[in-house]
Every structure is written in structure tokens, then in C-alpha cells.
């Protein structure tokens, strides 16, 4: 042992620590799977949402602090003693277990949308800690590596997200609907931009290829294609408008004091989540060569999803009867565009 350098001794020590570190990683993987699949622990006690957020914020802060201590301890020689390593492992595991225990306190009755967002945030934190452990085990111990810096920063970033999370189910539903609206907006802009490219939606991709070489109508829109596209774009625009109006209704009238109202908000979030994928499927089949049967099928699918969401919002507390004219207008817009699609496309091949 006398001839070994401090660096060699530290590397040997890290090898000795790799077993408890891997055990810690395995334990966190088990906890992560439980978080993904686990149910809330229902209690007869009155739930205090504000107190829940105070506890969750404190648990995220504690993990950030423990991850920093953990990373610094394994950043350069000399490594902590076996006792010190055991204490570091115990503390960071305890902080993660505490966070998961706090998460389980959030009951479903506070909203499944809110609970889903909180679950994603907590699992992101656990994933970040697991990544940090993997980096420490796999990185040679010489100095604080770029990989370890990034892994530590990843934990900080996931812990800092706590300040951005929606605090109740109304805010949670608005958050997810905002993301869905952006996806629909992007899809609409994409197809409109392609439509304005002189009938050649692949010009950006195939622009350098000789026109004669690619002189195939399968890469261009025919006049009949353009006629079919018009009502399809109408449906996509109706999707964008519907998400906008429903979001405004949730913002202006959404309530979270009654279980019934919270459930209605969740229904709106669940239904709105189907709109963006349906829009994407319709957009994809609009590119040449256009398959009219597929266009009709996907247009009908999108129209069905929109009608379902409009029906739900029309019967919910976020849409007072005195203000439901926009629901009727959008319903008519969906019906009108779907009828035009049916006129222009065959029901089957």
C-alpha cells in the first residue's frame, strides 16, 4: 500500500463504494416504478392543499441539497470514509423516500390531471438522482467531470421545476391544454406553409433534384386534392379555435372546490389530449399522393373528438348557458367542414 499514489488509493476506494452505490441505484429504481404505478393513500382526514405544497417544496429542496453534497463528496480525492459514504447514501435515499411519501398524500379527488403532473415532476427528480449515481460510478475519479457536473445540474433543474408546477386542478388543466394548443398551432402552420409552396409540398426536401427526375404527380397536389384540403384545414382551424375557447372558459369559470367540478375539468383535459394526435394523423394523410379514403377516415375521427369535447364543455360548469353560443358556432363549423369532406371523398376504396 505504501507505493500507491493518493489517486490510485481513491480509485480503489471508489471500487469498494461501487457496491453500496449500485444498491442505492437499484433501490431508487424500485421506488421509481412504484411512483409510476402507485395509487394515492386515501385518508379520512381533511386534505390541506397548501400544506401539501409546502411539504413537497421542502422535499424537493432537500433532495437538491443532498445531491449537491453527494456529488461534491465524490468529485475528487480523497473520497469519504466508509462511514461517511454510508451517511451520504442514507441521507440522499431518505430525501427521495420523503419526497415520494409526500407525493402519495395527494389524493385523486384533487384532480387526476394535477396528480399526473406532480407524478411526472417527482419521477423526473428520481431519474435525475439515478443518473447522478450512474455517472459517479462510471466516471474515473480525478476531478469533477463534465458528465458529473451535467448530472448534478440535471437534479437541480428537476428540483427547481417545483416552482413552475400548477397548484390546483384548474391550473393543471390549463397547463396541459396550452401545450396541446401549441402542437395544433404548429401542425396547422406546417400544412399551410406546404400548401403555399406552389403545389409542391416537398420543395424544401427535394428542391435540388431535377424537375424531370421527380416529375411525378405523386409529389404534387392536384386541383381535386386542393378542394379536399380546404374543409380539412377548416377542421384543423376549428380544433385550434376549440382549444382556445375551452381554455378561456376553464380560466374564467373553472372551479376546484367541488369534486364534481374537478372531475369535469379532468374530462376536458382527457378529451383535449386526443385532439393533437388526431390533427397530426389528418395532416399526414393530406400530403400527396392523397388517399381520399384515409383523409375521410381521419377527418371523421378528428370531427368526432371535437364534437365530444364541445359536448362535454357545453354540459360543464365552465360554460354558463348565457355564454354557450360559441359552443354552438364551433359545432356547426365542425359539421359543415365534415359534410364538405364527405361530399369530396369516397366512403371506401
Amino acid at each position: 500500500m505504501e507505493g500507491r499514489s493518493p489517486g490510485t488509493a481513491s480509485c480503489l476506494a471508489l471500487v469498494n463504494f461501487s457496491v453500496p452505490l449500485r444498491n442505492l441505484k437499484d433501490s431508487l429504481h424500485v421506488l421509481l416504478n412504484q411512483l409510476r404505478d402507485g395509487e394515492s393513500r386515501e385518508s379520512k382526514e381533511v386534505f390541506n392543499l397548501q400544506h401539501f405544497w409546502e411539504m413537497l417544496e421542502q422535499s424537493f429542496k432537500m433532495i437538491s441539497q443532498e445531491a449537491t453534497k453527494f456529488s461534491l463528496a465524490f468529485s475528487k480525492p480523497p473520497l469519504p470514509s466508509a462511514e461517511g459514504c454510508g451517511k451520504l447514501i442514507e441521507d440522499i435515499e431518505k430525501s427521495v423516500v420523503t419526497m415520494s411519501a409526500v407525493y402519495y398524500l395527494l389524493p385523486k379527488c384533487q384532480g387526476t390531471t394535477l396528480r399526473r403532473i406532480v407524478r411526472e415532476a417527482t419521477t423526473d427528480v428520481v431519474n435525475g438522482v439515478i443518473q447522478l449515481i450512474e455517472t459517479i460510478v462510471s466516471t474515473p475519479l480525478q476531478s469533477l467531470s463534465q458528465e458529473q457536473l451535467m448530472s448534478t445540474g440535471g437534479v437541480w433543474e428537476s428540483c427547481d421545476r417545483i416552482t413552475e408546477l400548477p397548484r390546483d386542478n384548474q391550473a393543471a388543466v390549463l397547463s396541459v391544454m396550452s401545450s396541446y394548443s401549441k402542437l395544433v398551432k404548429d401542425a396547422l402552420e406546417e400544412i399551410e406553409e406546404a400548401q403555399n409552396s406552389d403545389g409542391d409540398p416537398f420543395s424544401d426536401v427535394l428542391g435540388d433534384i431535377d424537375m424531370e427526375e421527380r416529375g411525378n404527380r405523386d409529389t404534387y397536389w392536384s386541383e381535386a386534392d386542393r378542394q379536399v384540403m380546404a374543409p380539412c384545414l377548416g377542421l384543423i382551424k376549428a380544433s385550434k379555435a376549440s382549444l382556445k375557447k375551452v381554455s378561456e372558459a376553464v380560466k374564467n369559470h373553472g372551479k376546484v372546490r367541488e369534486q364534481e367540478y374537478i372531475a369535469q375539468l379532468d374530462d376536458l383535459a382527457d378529451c383535449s389530449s386526443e385532439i393533437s394526435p388526431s390533427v397530426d394523423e389528418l395532416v399526414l394523410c393530406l400530403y400527396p399522393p392523397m388517399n381520399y379514403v384515409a383523409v375521410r377516415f381521419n377527418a371523421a375521427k378528428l370531427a368526432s373528438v371535437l364534437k365530444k369535447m364541445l359536448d362535454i364543455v357545453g354540459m360543464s360548469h365552465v360554460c354558463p348557458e348565457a355564454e354557450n353560443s360559441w359552443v354552438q358556432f364551433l359545432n356547426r363549423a365542425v359539421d359543415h367542414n365534415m359534410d364538405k369532406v364527405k361530399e369530396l371523398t369516397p366512403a371506401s376504396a
Side-chain angles (χ1 to χ4, degrees):
M1 291 293 292
E2 294 180 355
R4 286 177 182 153
S5 67
T8 302
S10 295
C11 287
L12 289 172
L14 183 58
V15 171
N16 294 332
F17 288 149
S18 66
V19 173
L21 288 176
R22 292 184 191 281
N23 289 340
L24 171 62
K25 186 184 74 171
D26 292 342
S27 295
L28 294 184
H29 269 300
V30 172
L31 185 145
L32 181 62
N33 290 331
Q34 291 172 342
L35 276 173
R36 286 171 174 159
D37 303 329
E39 297 292 339
S40 59
R41 293 164 187 163
E42 300 295 338
S43 171
K44 293 182 180 180
E45 296 181 9
V46 177
F47 180 75
N48 187 320
L49 187 59
Q50 181 178 350
H51 183 52
F52 165 79
W53 282 110
E54 290 171 354
M55 291 191 297
L56 193 65
E57 286 180 2
Q58 184 60 37
S59 68
F60 273 55
K61 182 179 179 181
M62 184 60 64
I63 290 175
S64 182
Q65 293 173 348
E66 293 300 332
T68 302
K69 286 165 49 180
F70 192 82
S71 182
L72 287 174
F74 291 96
S75 63
K76 61 182 179 179
L79 283 172
S81 64
E83 182 180 353
C85 179
K87 183 68 165 59
L88 287 165
I89 289 174
E90 179 184 346
D91 288 347
I92 196 167
E93 183 174 19
K94 181 180 178 181
S95 67
V96 175
V97 169
T98 298
M99 178 196 66
S100 67
V102 173
Y103 160 72
Y104 284 123
L105 294 175
L106 182 63
K108 284 183 178 180
C109 65
Q110 290 296 314
T112 56
T113 308
L114 175 65
R115 200 163 183 274
R116 190 181 307 122
I117 290 175
V118 176
R119 181 176 67 233
E120 289 172 357
T122 55
T123 55
D124 283 348
V125 171
V126 181
N127 270 320
V129 175
I130 291 173
Q131 180 62 46
L132 174 60
I133 297 167
E134 290 176 343
T135 302
I136 289 173
V137 171
S138 62
T139 304
L141 187 68
Q142 297 172 350
S143 61
L144 188 60
S145 68
Q146 185 66 26
E147 291 81 2
Q148 192 170 334
L149 275 173
M150 291 178 64
S151 295
T152 308
V155 176
W156 293 341
E157 185 176 346
S158 58
C159 289
D160 288 345
R161 274 194 62 204
I162 186 71
T163 61
E164 303 170 2
L165 297 182
R167 268 15 191 196
D168 59 32
N169 208 46
Q170 179 191 21
V173 171
L174 284 171
S175 173
V176 297
M177 292 189 73
S178 175
S179 66
Y180 302 150
S181 294
K182 185 179 184 305
L183 292 172
V184 170
K185 177 176 176 287
D186 291 345
L188 177 60
E189 290 177 352
E190 173 196 318
I191 193 64
E192 286 184 327
E193 183 178 338
Q195 186 188 32
N196 294 329
S197 59
D198 297 324
D200 182 7
F202 302 111
S203 58
D204 289 344
V205 180
L206 305 174
D208 295 335
I209 299 178
D210 184 83
M211 293 298 289
E212 292 185 4
E213 183 180 342
R214 53 176 288 225
N216 185 333
R217 72 165 300 276
D218 285 351
T219 65
Y220 296 88
W221 278 306
S222 67
E223 183 57 35
D225 291 343
R226 288 186 173 279
Q227 290 180 12
V228 171
M229 182 177 290
C232 290
L233 288 179
L235 282 173
I236 298 172
K237 290 175 181 177
S239 303
K240 178 183 175 184
S242 295
L243 284 169
K244 180 175 183 292
K245 293 298 294 183
V246 172
S247 294
E248 289 174 355
V250 170
K251 181 178 180 180
N252 294 331
H253 303 293
K255 298 175 183 177
V256 292
R257 296 194 177 189
E258 300 289 339
Q259 180 67 51
E260 178 185 2
Y261 296 156
I262 291 174
Q264 288 175 358
L265 293 175
D266 283 329
D267 288 342
L268 286 171
D270 291 342
C271 189
S272 64
S273 70
E274 301 176 42
I275 293 178
S276 176
S278 298
V279 166
D280 287 343
E281 289 171 5
L282 178 57
V283 166
L284 282 174
C285 68
L286 290 178
Y287 283 92
M290 192 180 286
N291 181 326
Y292 292 159
V293 174
V295 169
R296 180 175 178 140
F297 174 81
N298 285 297
K301 181 179 177 183
L302 175 58
S304 175
V305 171
L306 290 174
K307 298 280 285 184
K308 177 182 174 183
M309 184 176 75
L310 292 171
D311 286 346
I312 291 173
V313 74
M315 294 184 291
S316 75
H317 72 282
V318 305
C319 187
E321 187 174 349
E323 300 178 22
N324 70 357
S325 59
W326 62 269
V327 176
Q328 299 170 25
F329 173 81
L330 287 170
N331 259 313
R332 289 195 298 269
V334 172
D335 288 338
H336 170 75
N337 284 291
M338 192 60 226
D339 287 343
K340 291 295 293 182
V341 172
K342 290 178 180 177
E343 288 177 16
L344 297 166
T345 59
S348 59

